[in-house]
Amino acid sequence: SATDWMLWERDRQVAEKYLPGIEKFLEALGRTCDETGYFLFDTQGSQIEFAHSGLRRQSGTHLYCWKVLENISEVYAMLGKDADARRCKEKAAALNQKLERFRVKEGWLISGFNRDVSKIYGNGRIDGSHSDYLEVWPNTNAAVLGWMDSSQCRRLADKFEATAPLVENHLTLTNYPARPVEELDPDHDGFPPAGTHLNGSFFWMHGGGALGMYTRASHPKTLERLEELLDDHRKHLSVDCYNDWGRNKEKQFPHLPQKSYSVTCAGAFGHFFRCFFDLMPTAYSLKVSPASLPGIDYFKMLEPVYWGKKELYLSMSGAGKITAASLDGEEIDIRDDAAVEI
């Protein structure tokens, strides 16, 4: 989001200019809340999937708003506006409590609730019960946005691995199983048929996010899943949408250009690099929490990470807990054995 950009660029003038507009947008968004304090939206799709029907309280909406408020709090702190930072931090904390309502005991987020919170959509059980699909979009985003910690990312990645259609054709996923047809906006005219309605999208915002989730989890399958996605890209199969969870990709798109690539795949592999170091900018520092992936005992970025006006060339050696860290050849303090603050 724009607030994420502000924390990375650290441009005080730009932040001062645009923060008031962002806050006005959040104020308008808040008008969709009722007495429960939860957002309530009309037809809101799971990205490329056909929109759901009726009003819902979606987990994804609450997740994104929480992250924006967390970022705004950090930006205000960066500007020295401590009162505004505390105000937004309190709002973020309140929204975080509401987000917990969408998390099931097994660790993932459900898709949402109906208007009176009497019905669950997308319970994620994948057990044949009604509305048992796993809504991948908010869950992978909860991982890469930092709402889930590394252990929660691991539990979710293990769930993916235990659900063959989510991984057998690479991380070409949206939801599984198909959203029940009665939950869809009736304006889809019968296409695609129930059970195949674009639930197998390559859609890099999903596959890339899942890759980031695996990486933050230090999951042993991470490099294998990365290699599969790279191979799809090499074969010009990194397109936005597949039916039937990515089966028979070549036959679905025989007309794929052989000298170009889908523009939406451009940032997907960035999830691997950003999540490998788990980079999180704050008001005063850049937090680095490197993963410990099986098969990697040395990792060096050949291109810099741009943070404000600084260029950081990151590298890591070893595995497991952090025992030492340095910046420009000088040792820096380690506050815990999982993260370093620059």
Side-chain angles (χ1 to χ4, degrees):
S1 74
T3 55
D4 200 44
W5 184 91
M6 290 174 189
L7 286 173
W8 278 102
E9 293 297 318
R10 308 186 71 76
D11 188 319
R12 298 172 65 90
Q13 186 175 0
V14 170
E16 293 271 15
K17 179 179 179 180
Y18 287 103
L19 272 179
I22 294 172
E23 288 234 57
K24 286 181 180 178
F25 171 77
L26 291 177
E27 182 182 346
L29 188 67
R31 295 179 194 140
T32 67
C33 296
D34 59 15
E35 66 279 1
T36 68
Y38 288 86
F39 296 114
L40 187 65
F41 283 99
D42 203 342
T43 51
Q44 177 186 355
S46 173
Q47 293 302 305
I48 63 164
E49 193 178 16
F50 280 102
H52 63 66
S53 59
L55 292 166
R56 285 193 186 186
R57 306 181 190 280
Q58 291 285 96
S59 57
T61 308
H62 295 79
L63 172 69
Y64 310 142
C65 191
W66 163 80
K67 182 59 176 176
V68 170
L69 285 167
E70 283 281 348
N71 283 353
I72 290 178
S73 175
E74 295 292 337
V75 174
Y76 274 132
M78 181 183 75
L79 297 174
K81 298 185 176 184
D82 295 337
D84 286 323
R86 288 192 297 271
R87 172 176 57 83
C88 292
K89 195 72 171 178
E90 289 171 1
K91 288 184 176 180
L95 201 54
N96 183 58
Q97 289 297 314
K98 289 182 170 58
L99 256 176
E100 288 292 345
R101 180 72 183 273
F102 296 92
R103 195 201 314 246
V104 299
K105 63 180 181 180
E106 292 84 359
W108 61 81
L109 293 170
I110 64 169
S111 176
F113 298 99
N114 64 346
R115 184 168 191 162
D116 64 4
V117 199
S118 62
K119 183 177 181 181
I120 293 176
Y121 297 109
N123 63 45
R125 294 173 186 160
I126 315 179
D127 60 0
S129 60
H130 184 70
S131 198
D132 66 333
Y133 59 90
L134 177 70
E135 186 96 49
V136 168
W137 177 248
N139 279 288
T140 56
N141 276 329
V144 299
L145 293 177
W147 192 72
M148 291 183 178
D149 62 25
S150 58
S151 63
Q152 292 164 340
C153 290
R154 176 60 183 265
R155 291 175 70 185
L156 191 57
D158 285 342
K159 183 174 180 63
F160 278 34
E161 289 297 317
T163 309
L166 293 181
V167 295
E168 64 186 357
N169 302 303
H170 311 165
L171 291 176
T172 52
L173 46 87
T174 305
N175 297 335
Y176 183 80
R179 181 176 285 169
V181 70
E182 64 268 21
E183 290 187 24
L184 300 179
D185 187 329
D187 192 30
H188 66 91
D189 296 325
F191 177 81
T196 61
H197 47 81
L198 296 185
N199 265 318
S201 164
F202 196 102
F203 219 62
W204 279 91
M205 287 189 291
H206 294 75
L211 179 63
M213 175 187 70
Y214 273 65
T215 307
R216 284 196 66 218
S218 297
H219 198 279
K221 286 281 189 177
T222 301
L223 296 182
E224 180 181 336
R225 298 301 175 212
L226 170 61
E227 184 178 20
E228 291 168 347
L229 293 178
L230 285 168
D231 192 50
D232 272 348
H233 186 55
R234 179 182 64 82
K235 295 176 181 177
H236 299 265
L237 292 171
S238 51
V239 296
D240 276 353
C241 53
Y242 292 110
N243 292 326
D244 204 18
W245 293 277
R247 298 182 181 99
N248 300 317
K249 299 172 189 176
E250 294 87 348
K251 293 182 180 179
Q252 289 187 43
F253 285 90
H255 58 284
L256 285 179
Q258 294 303 304
K259 294 184 179 181
S260 63
Y261 299 89
S262 169
V263 68
T264 57
C265 73
F269 299 112
H271 278 294
F272 172 77
F273 296 105
R274 181 169 177 172
C275 291
F276 183 87
F277 288 103
D278 200 6
L279 302 174
M280 290 289 177
T282 71
Y284 311 109
S285 66
L286 180 65
K287 188 176 180 181
V288 185
S289 306
S292 182
L293 286 173
I296 295 181
D297 53 20
Y298 180 73
F299 192 97
K300 181 179 181 179
M301 295 279 286
L302 299 180
E303 296 293 331
V305 171
Y306 295 95
W307 179 52
K309 295 182 179 181
K310 302 181 186 298
E311 295 183 11
L312 303 175
Y313 289 85
L314 301 176
S315 63
M316 184 207 73
S317 61
K321 297 179 179 180
I322 298 174
T323 56
S326 63
L327 180 65
D328 292 337
E330 296 184 8
E331 286 193 16
I332 56 178
D333 292 335
I334 302 175
R335 297 184 180 180
D336 62 55
D337 57 14
V340 172
E341 286 196 74
I342 298 174

